[in-house]
Amino acid sequence: MSITHMEARHRILAMVPACKGWTRYEDVAQSGKDPPWIVLKFIENQRLTTESLAVTTKLATLEIRVVGDTADGIGVICDKMCDALQGAWPGRPFGRISLDVDSGVYPSELVSTVTNLPFLMRVLRFRVSWAACWPPHQNCSIGLPHTTGDLLFKEASCPIPFPRISKMA
C-alpha cells in the first residue's frame, strides 16, 4: 500500500507555517485580490523505478510563491519558510525536505493599481521524496542486515522485486 498523492500533499502543506497578514492560497491566487499573498503548489513530478519498472520512490516539489510590495517583507516571509521547512521531516515514509531553488526577489507581471508599480515576487522550491511501498509488507522482499553479515530475504509479497541473496561476498 502506498501513500496517495492527496495524503502526501496534505502532510507537506500542513508543515508550511502560517504568516499573519499574508493570504495563503493553494495552487493559484484568487483573481481580483491584491497581494501580499503566498501561493503553495505541491507537484508530484518523478517516480523512481526498479529495472522491472516497479515504483520504489516518489518525488515531489513544493513551490512557494511569495508576492508583496517590498523586498524586505518578502525576505522575512521566505526566511520563515526556509527556517521551518529546510531539513524538516514529515515522518515516515518521507525523506527530509530540502530547498532546491530560491529565485531571489524580482518584479512580477502583476501591477499595483495604487502605485502602478509591479509587485515583487520570490519563488522557493523544496524537494521531498517518499517510499512508494509503505509500510513494508510483513513478507516484503527488502533485505535487512543481520548480525552475521547475511541478508535476510522473505517471500516476496511486495510489488518491488529484489534478487534473492543468501550471503554477501
Side-chain angles (χ1 to χ4, degrees):
M1 183 166 109
S2 66
I3 289 184
T4 67
H5 172 82
M6 292 308 293
E7 290 169 327
R9 176 185 171 95
H10 176 74
R11 291 252 302 263
I12 300 303
L13 293 183
M15 298 185 72
V16 178
C19 297
K20 188 176 180 178
W22 292 70
T23 307
R24 176 174 158 161
Y25 297 104
E26 291 184 12
D27 297 320
V28 66
Q30 197 172 24
S31 64
K33 302 284 184 179
D34 279 344
W37 63 49
I38 300 165
V39 179
L40 308 175
K41 189 185 286 188
F42 180 82
I43 308 154
E44 184 185 324
N45 49 15
Q46 190 175 359
R47 292 176 177 213
L48 303 180
T49 61
T50 64
E51 189 174 313
S52 64
L53 302 179
V55 177
T56 59
T57 307
K58 296 180 180 183
L59 293 96
T61 299
L62 169 62
E63 182 178 276
I64 302 174
R65 293 183 178 272
V66 181
V67 182
D69 293 323
T70 66
D72 287 339
I74 292 171
V76 167
I77 298 302
C78 288
D79 283 349
K80 183 175 183 176
M81 297 292 172
C82 288
D83 290 346
L85 296 171
Q86 177 64 23
W89 185 52
R92 286 195 167 112
F94 291 90
R96 296 205 178 262
I97 297 172
S98 63
L99 180 63
D100 187 38
V101 174
D102 183 345
S103 70
V105 177
Y106 62 93
S108 72
E109 295 178 7
L110 183 61
V111 176
S112 169
T113 56
V114 176
T115 65
N116 207 28
L117 296 172
F119 286 105
L120 300 175
M121 181 173 4
R122 183 171 166 187
V123 180
L124 302 173
R125 286 191 186 104
F126 293 88
R127 301 279 291 155
V128 66
S129 64
W130 63 96
C133 181
W134 189 263
H137 301 292
Q138 182 180 8
N139 294 324
C140 190
S141 59
I142 297 173
L144 301 172
H146 190 267
T147 54
T148 64
D150 292 349
L151 287 180
L152 303 178
F153 289 91
K154 298 180 181 176
E155 289 303 315
S157 66
C158 181
I160 304 169
F162 284 88
R164 296 181 59 79
I165 302 172
S166 59
K167 295 218 183 246
M168 293 205 45

